[in-house]
Amino acid sequence: MPVTTTSAAIHITPVVIKTFIKHVRRKGIKYKDGDGSVQGWDDLLYDEAFHIVKAFIEMGTKNTVESLQAFTNTHVPAPFWCAVVPVKIPLASCNKAADALIEWFGPDDLKHVVGGERWWQVRGLEWIDGEWITEKAYLNEDHFEPDKKLSDEEKTILRMEHLDRVMLYVHGGAYFWGSINTHRYQVIRYARKMRGRAFTVNYRKAPQYPWPCPLQDVLAAYFYLTTPPPGATHKPVPPSKLVFAGDSAGGALCLTALTVLRDLGLPQPAGAILISPWVDLTHSFPSVMNNTDTDIIPPHGFIHKPSPLWPVHPKSEEGYTRVIPTKTKPPPKPGHADKLKPDTGSMVEQADQRQRQSVEKGEEVHSADLQDKPEEINSQKEMQEQANGHSPASEHGPAPPTPTPEGDGAKQEGDDGSDYDSLRDFWEPKPPKVLMEDPNATPLELRAQIQLYATTEQLSHPLVSPVLQSSLGNLCPLYIIAGDGECLRDEIIYVAHKAAHPKDYPARQGVLREGRRQKENAEKFQTPTKVHLQVFDDMCHVLTVFTFTDCAKYAYRAIAQFVKHVTDSSDEHLLRNPFPELHRPPSEISDSESEHDGGGPRHPSRGTKLSSTNVPPKRPRGPFEGGRSSSDRSDVELYRSNEAMTEIEVNEGKTDRLPSGDASSVTAHGDNSEDIPAVLMIRERVDVLGNVRPMEPPEEIEALRLQPWEIGVIKEAPVRRWLSGQEEWDRKYKRTAEHVIRKRRQYEAKAARLLEHARQQGLIHDELHPQRSRVSLSGSVSSVGEVEVERRWGPLDLNDEKPPPSAIAGRRDTSEAVALLKKTIYHNAPATHRTVPKLKTSDAVRAAFDPHDHPIKPPQQSVSEQQVHTHFIPVHGLRMWQSLVECAWLCAVNVPLLMVAFALRLFMRKSSKKVEHGTRRASAALRSTSDKISGSGRSESHPPHASTSSSGR
């Protein structure tokens, strides 16, 4: 059954009942033992919501990737009290973002690391979906000139212009699911609390559009806001009035986009909010394995029922195995993937080895087929000692000179006189080796792609896993949030400290050797980034989903205050103090912005102001002492109380201060504010009641004791956990996988027929030579389509590129790949096409009977890009997270009543006959007693026949 509202309800209902029973049992034991501690699980509402969300995500793994994407990218109407305006980010902004990435990578990295310059610019739509969001109560009443013909949407956008605080929100979803629809209700809450407007972007998602496609779309949204293209309704948003915000994958995309802007010298936003950012896709930190039970992430990661899209290899066949004991010597070393940009010696060695084994086997041998003699394959410890002549510990030692030539297309020569470019084209990275827990074991060899976002060889790239950036200094102020129970906790803590202390947390030298820009950045960007890190007790991944909890209410308030502070303050002020908790005098908050409930229409213009004088400046110091429930304390009260505690932390020396030299320059700056200055990093923990306390020293945190060479490596435990789940799915969906292989052949045949018919109908394609204007050829076949000048490339322009295996731009074996091909040929062709042919009649007839196609209109594009619009108004399970959370609330309130009612009904049903019989007996007894009483009374004053007459009635 695909992912639908009905299937979700069927799957989640038993979870609700089971969770309630376990919760009551656990609370009973706790009460019996006299345990007075407060934990997140003590709240029935959070307990239910946690297990509901976890069950939904696990249900998604039992369905195809496309099914989960379609469900979470279904368009859902906005609530009536909000102003939500859909917009289309045009190709002009997309091209500007592409140019920025092309400059960042350079020609060599584009070719050998990314796989080319063109494939990731291919898209199905001529735009990216976005939304402007704010409260209707915040709109002004401007009158528009009568000669201007504006749509209602354009008028609404203009009525938002006075709201100068802007949040660019990038939603999460493991880089492959979720949308602006799943996160709209959270974004509405942000817009209301910060008294501003938000903009969301529905970026393309993996595996159809893998890295760097989502990054390009996030940059396109930023450029769309700051430098609007012609025709855009809104005015340019100054970067100083804009903040990035994102959760999970969206948080990591925000951080990555910041590093790109920094490296290119482009203006950064005023600040960024990173909520549970996924910054290490290699899973090299301990909490990935230790926190599985306390997080919503599936136990085996994101594995899915096979489909023509994913996995790339739906089953083991023709000798393919997902993980095997290694058959080759280093390189790569255990824990590492092979180089995408190798040195000349490695290329010559591999070319000779492949050619020799090809002759021996009588067939072409690829790098994955290479085998060394068994006696030459040593243990992991010996491999580490022999590889490149140094041990793993020397990974953070001095970096040797990089032997790889860095030419811009110029011919290079190998040591033996061979052509360098030919060697690079022939080069194939060998499968990654897994770092084993037993140093005497033979390393495993990973042949499957684990993550949907990027190939295994790309996972250690700093734009894929930003924790591996050589420096996170010189960034705008960061507010970083994590849950103590989430799998990503350690990497989030590490990346926060790395940003604030770039010299103390260097990247391993392997990253510096293989990246020209990374080596430059390590020396260039050493100015610490101001960071506020908060880790929330007992909370799971993306705690802001659980909006009803005290700590989440505080998080929303703190995020809103951060946005206000960084967008309302000058650069000089932020240089002195970027933290709103240290702003003096404390900023005012309208009491109408505080909340005790989950949301609804607000009237922000009617509130009075609440300053710190309205709240006691101090509170009990214990993490749980003196706490009150959310029914007693509003989010503003929580914020004010924590604001006072942060000042105490500063006064007691429990925050990281700027070095004396930097501090004196900051305090001597021209800003005349009374803020508490020279604070570099605030490190806090937050209990389940929303109260902050200082975090323990860095030396006591396990994640911060890891050495640079231990980070960004592929380790045994996560691989085996993923493999056990994948092998279970291989057995469970064996017949499905066989069907998938047949479907892929059918799609390939359909794509070949489509191309052949297009050529017959007059398709003329000038590959690699985009036309800058529409060209009309005499005798060309008429068509309803057109050549899009701004659409640079299409699927037919990728002959000399190597897109990732999952990218539909380079595939012909999925329905979405065929839909993309058809649209770029017959409807919206790229500038490399000189003609747009007319669809053949036979193809039009076939399209009429295809539910995913259309004989005249462009086919529906990938659900990872284009929203699904239903033909009826759905009571859709997708207000997604909001609905799941509300479901938990209803369960927490109603399950006890329902279970009691069910028990009573069951008891009454079983006892109905006894009850009925007992009722008759009781009635008879009452009548008999009444008769006796009345009879005895009448016997004294009436004749005996009166009693007989009475008893006979």
Side-chain angles (χ1 to χ4, degrees):
M1 180 182 294
V3 183
T4 63
T5 305
T6 302
S7 64
I10 294 173
H11 184 79
I12 288 172
T13 299
V15 174
V16 172
I17 299 174
K18 187 184 299 184
T19 300
F20 175 77
I21 295 173
K22 289 183 177 180
H23 181 90
V24 172
R25 186 181 302 161
R26 184 173 61 249
K27 289 291 288 289
I29 294 173
K30 197 171 180 179
Y31 178 78
K32 181 179 179 181
D33 295 341
D35 185 356
S37 62
V38 181
Q39 296 177 318
W41 309 104
D42 294 339
D43 184 353
L44 175 60
L45 181 53
Y46 174 73
D47 200 2
E48 288 283 6
F50 171 87
H51 286 92
I52 287 173
V53 174
K54 188 179 182 74
F56 173 82
I57 296 176
E58 289 184 7
M59 183 190 73
T61 66
K62 300 175 183 178
N63 288 269
T64 65
V65 168
E66 303 96 310
S67 177
L68 181 60
Q69 288 177 333
F71 181 77
T72 58
N73 199 20
T74 297
H75 177 72
V76 179
F80 67 91
W81 67 84
C82 298
V84 178
V85 183
V87 297
K88 296 179 179 179
I89 302 171
L91 290 174
S93 298
C94 300
N95 292 340
K96 184 172 183 178
D99 292 339
L101 286 177
I102 290 170
E103 180 183 353
W104 192 95
F105 283 112
D108 201 53
D109 279 12
L110 276 172
K111 182 174 183 180
H112 300 289
V113 177
V114 181
E117 176 185 323
R118 302 184 296 276
W119 70 264
W120 47 274
Q121 298 188 56
V122 176
R123 62 180 70 239
L125 301 179
E126 294 76 58
W127 64 83
I128 308 170
D129 284 329
E131 284 184 350
W132 282 107
I133 298 175
T134 192
E135 291 271 334
K136 281 185 178 178
Y138 292 165
L139 299 178
N140 65 17
E141 300 298 331
D142 285 350
H143 298 284
F144 304 99
E145 298 179 12
D147 57 334
K148 287 188 177 180
K149 295 182 179 179
L150 299 173
S151 65
D152 291 340
E153 289 79 9
E154 290 173 328
K155 291 179 180 178
T156 303
I157 292 175
L158 293 177
R159 292 176 64 192
M160 296 181 189
E161 288 290 323
H162 67 289
L163 301 171
D164 58 352
R165 301 171 186 144
V166 178
M167 172 187 284
L168 172 56
Y169 195 89
V170 185
H171 69 81
Y175 296 100
F176 76 96
W177 60 281
S179 70
I180 55 180
N181 296 285
T182 57
H183 289 66
R184 185 180 294 122
Y185 281 77
Q186 295 179 51
V187 177
I188 291 171
R189 188 181 297 260
Y190 290 127
R192 180 178 74 246
K193 288 182 174 294
M194 72 182 194
R195 299 181 66 85
R197 50 184 169 145
F199 188 86
T200 57
V201 54
N202 209 34
Y203 59 87
R204 293 170 296 168
K205 298 166 192 70
Q208 298 95 320
Y209 293 101
W211 178 80
C213 296
L215 178 58
Q216 181 199 1
D217 290 0
V218 171
L219 288 171
Y222 179 70
F223 293 142
Y224 175 76
L225 294 177
T226 56
T227 55
T233 305
H234 70 280
K235 297 177 182 177
V237 178
S240 61
K241 293 295 184 180
L242 185 148
V243 294
F244 279 169
D247 63 277
S248 191
L253 286 170
C254 289
L255 182 58
T256 303
L258 288 178
T259 62
V260 172
L261 295 173
R262 177 201 64 184
D263 295 351
L264 297 179
L266 298 173
Q268 296 183 48
I273 300 110
L274 312 180
I275 304 168
S276 297
W278 186 11
V279 294
D280 177 26
L281 274 74
T282 65
H283 287 332
S284 59
F285 284 86
S287 61
V288 168
M289 298 300 300
N290 299 338
N291 285 3
T292 303
D293 293 338
T294 55
D295 204 2
I296 57 176
I297 305 300
H300 300 292
F302 292 102
I303 56 177
H304 286 272
K305 180 180 178 180
S307 70
L309 171 66
W310 184 266
V312 175
H313 297 281
K315 60 177 291 188
S316 298
E317 60 177 353
E318 298 178 358
Y320 168 79
T321 308
R322 302 188 189 279
V323 179
I324 63 172
T326 186
K327 296 183 179 180
T328 61
K329 302 177 293 183
K333 293 185 300 182
H336 295 267
D338 208 353
K339 297 178 180 179
L340 294 171
K341 295 169 53 181
D343 57 77
T344 306
S346 299
M347 292 188 294
V348 172
E349 181 181 358
Q350 185 190 107
D352 291 342
Q353 190 177 14
R354 287 173 59 187
Q355 289 174 356
R356 185 175 63 255
Q357 294 192 16
S358 295
V359 172
E360 294 172 357
K361 294 183 179 182
E363 59 183 15
E364 184 179 3
V365 172
H366 295 278
S367 62
D369 305 320
L370 292 174
Q371 297 184 22
D372 291 320
K373 295 179 181 180
E375 60 271 15
E376 296 179 351
I377 301 176
N378 301 319
S379 68
Q380 174 175 286
K381 183 178 180 180
E382 294 170 322
M383 287 184 180
Q384 290 174 325
E385 293 173 348
Q386 296 171 1
N388 298 331
H390 65 279
S391 65
S394 65
E395 269 289 315
H396 53 278
T402 304
T404 304
E406 294 289 347
D408 292 330
K411 292 285 184 179
Q412 303 286 343
E413 296 235 342
D415 295 337
D416 59 353
S418 56
D419 182 71
Y420 178 80
D421 286 345
S422 299
L423 287 172
R424 290 294 295 266
D425 292 338
F426 189 71
W427 167 265
E428 294 177 351
K430 293 195 293 185
K433 289 182 173 61
V434 178
L435 185 67
M436 309 299 288
E437 296 177 356
D438 180 4
N440 297 315
T442 300
L444 297 174
E445 198 170 87
L446 184 58
R447 304 206 161 200
Q449 179 177 332
I450 295 182
Q451 306 289 10
L452 288 83
Y453 183 47
T455 65
T456 308
E457 290 78 16
Q458 295 172 334
L459 296 183
S460 59
H461 192 279
L463 294 192
V464 177
S465 296
V467 73
L468 292 170
Q469 284 277 344
S470 61
S471 174
L472 290 174
N474 293 76
L475 298 178
C476 62
L478 304 178
Y479 179 27
I480 303 177
I481 290 175
D484 192 57
E486 69 171 297
C487 292
L488 307 184
R489 178 199 62 201
D490 288 351
E491 63 196 69
I492 298 169
I493 293 175
Y494 188 92
V495 83
H497 285 79
K498 182 183 178 74
H501 303 281
K503 295 180 181 179
D504 297 338
Y505 300 93
R508 56 184 172 86
Q509 289 299 332
V511 174
L512 303 183
R513 281 194 299 265
E514 297 170 17
R516 168 188 56 83
R517 190 176 289 277
Q518 293 307 310
K519 188 175 182 180
E520 295 175 357
N521 290 351
E523 303 169 356
K524 185 177 180 181
F525 300 120
Q526 287 297 315
T527 301
T529 298
K530 308 289 182 63
V531 178
H532 188 176
L533 170 66
Q534 290 185 328
V535 179
F536 287 68
D537 294 347
D538 298 337
M539 290 293 106
C540 63
H541 188 57
V542 191
L543 63 97
T544 48
V545 167
F546 307 95
T547 56
F548 49 83
T549 61
D550 289 348
C551 56
K553 290 180 180 179
Y554 162 67
Y556 275 96
R557 170 55 52 203
I559 289 171
Q561 293 307 111
F562 176 84
V563 174
K564 291 179 180 180
H565 183 73
V566 298
T567 56
D568 293 350
S569 303
S570 65
D571 292 340
E572 293 78 12
H573 190 130
L574 294 179
L575 184 64
R576 178 183 175 89
N577 169 42
F579 306 111
E581 293 83 358
L582 305 181
H583 183 67
R584 296 296 177 270
S587 58
E588 295 181 333
I589 307 174
S590 168
D591 61 1
S592 65
E593 296 177 43
S594 66
E595 64 174 316
H596 295 276
D597 55 10
R602 296 289 186 272
H603 302 284
S605 60
R606 302 176 185 173
T608 59
K609 302 294 184 181
L610 181 65
S611 67
S612 60
T613 58
N614 300 109
V615 181
K618 294 185 179 181
R619 57 172 170 75
R621 295 294 307 278
F624 298 110
E625 296 175 5
R628 291 182 288 163
S629 67
S630 59
S631 61
D632 297 321
R633 304 178 72 192
S634 71
D635 59 330
V636 177
E637 289 179 303
L638 277 172
Y639 181 81
R640 290 304 190 199
S641 177
N642 291 336
E643 188 177 48
M645 178 57 69
T646 301
E647 182 176 0
I648 294 173
E649 294 172 17
V650 175
N651 294 334
E652 294 180 353
K654 295 181 179 179
T655 57
D656 297 354
R657 305 301 294 262
L658 285 170
S660 57
D662 296 336
S664 60
S665 64
V666 168
T667 54
H669 211 276
D671 182 63
N672 295 321
S673 68
E674 301 176 6
D675 290 19
I676 301 174
V679 175
L680 170 62
M681 185 180 189
I682 301 175
R683 307 163 58 257
E684 294 176 320
R685 291 189 178 273
V686 185
D687 67 29
V688 297
L689 299 177
N691 303 315
V692 304
R693 66 185 187 276
M695 186 178 289
E696 61 272 25
E699 55 269 18
E700 297 180 14
I701 300 176
E702 181 184 12
L704 301 181
R705 295 198 296 266
L706 293 181
Q707 297 298 316
W709 62 268
E710 297 179 271
I711 297 170
V713 297
I714 304 169
K715 298 182 178 179
E716 179 182 5
V719 169
R720 288 198 180 277
R721 182 178 66 180
W722 165 83
L723 182 62
S724 63
Q726 188 62 64
E727 289 178 339
E728 179 184 349
W729 256 230
D730 288 343
R731 292 189 296 268
K732 183 175 182 179
Y733 298 111
K734 181 178 179 180
R735 299 183 69 176
T736 302
E738 295 171 351
H739 176 70
V740 163
I741 294 173
R742 292 193 296 269
K743 290 291 291 182
R744 285 182 176 179
R745 296 193 187 105
Q746 294 174 8
Y747 287 127
E748 286 175 341
K750 182 177 180 180
R753 182 176 64 247
L754 190 71
L755 275 172
E756 179 61 27
H757 289 178
R759 294 189 180 99
Q760 294 174 4
Q761 293 292 98
L763 171 65
I764 300 177
H765 169 237
D766 292 340
E767 186 179 359
L768 306 185
H769 299 286
Q771 306 296 317
R772 293 307 172 191
S773 62
R774 290 183 174 83
V775 179
S776 176
L777 296 181
S778 58
S780 62
V781 182
S782 62
S783 171
V784 295
E786 62 178 359
V787 174
E788 293 283 348
V789 177
E790 296 289 349
R791 185 186 283 269
R792 294 175 173 177
W793 311 106
L796 301 182
D797 302 320
L798 314 179
N799 284 347
D800 60 340
E801 298 208 334
K802 295 181 179 178
S806 68
I808 60 173
R811 298 178 68 172
R812 303 287 186 269
D813 59 354
T814 75
S815 62
E816 294 178 332
V818 175
L820 176 64
L821 181 65
K822 180 177 180 180
K823 182 172 183 179
T824 55
I825 290 177
Y826 290 105
H827 298 278
N828 301 98
T832 54
H833 290 211
R834 298 187 64 193
T835 60
V836 180
K838 186 177 180 180
L839 189 65
K840 203 170 183 178
T841 304
S842 59
D843 291 335
V845 172
R846 290 190 184 94
F849 291 95
D850 187 342
H852 303 291
D853 205 348
H854 196 280
I856 300 175
K857 298 179 181 179
Q860 170 80 18
Q861 292 303 292
S862 170
V863 291
S864 68
E865 178 185 19
Q866 185 173 2
Q867 296 183 67
V868 178
H869 289 265
T870 56
H871 298 291
F872 55 92
I873 300 176
V875 181
H876 202 275
L878 215 126
R879 278 172 53 175
M880 178 84 175
W881 298 123
Q882 185 73 13
S883 289
L884 292 176
V885 167
E886 288 178 356
C887 176
W889 181 84
L890 291 172
C891 292
V893 173
N894 294 325
V895 163
L897 298 177
L898 291 173
M899 295 193 70
V900 170
F902 176 77
L904 289 174
R905 185 175 182 183
L906 181 64
F907 173 79
M908 292 174 65
R909 184 176 295 175
K910 290 183 177 180
S911 307
S912 58
K913 293 184 179 179
K914 294 182 179 180
V915 171
E916 183 180 357
H917 180 63
T919 301
R920 287 199 300 267
R921 292 182 61 184
S923 299
L926 288 172
R927 286 197 298 270
S928 176
T929 303
S930 176
D931 291 344
K932 290 179 181 179
I933 294 173
S934 60
S936 62
R938 283 190 294 267
S939 63
E940 298 177 357
S941 56
H942 298 284
H945 66 271
S947 175
T948 304
S949 175
S950 175
S951 64
R953 290 174 185 170

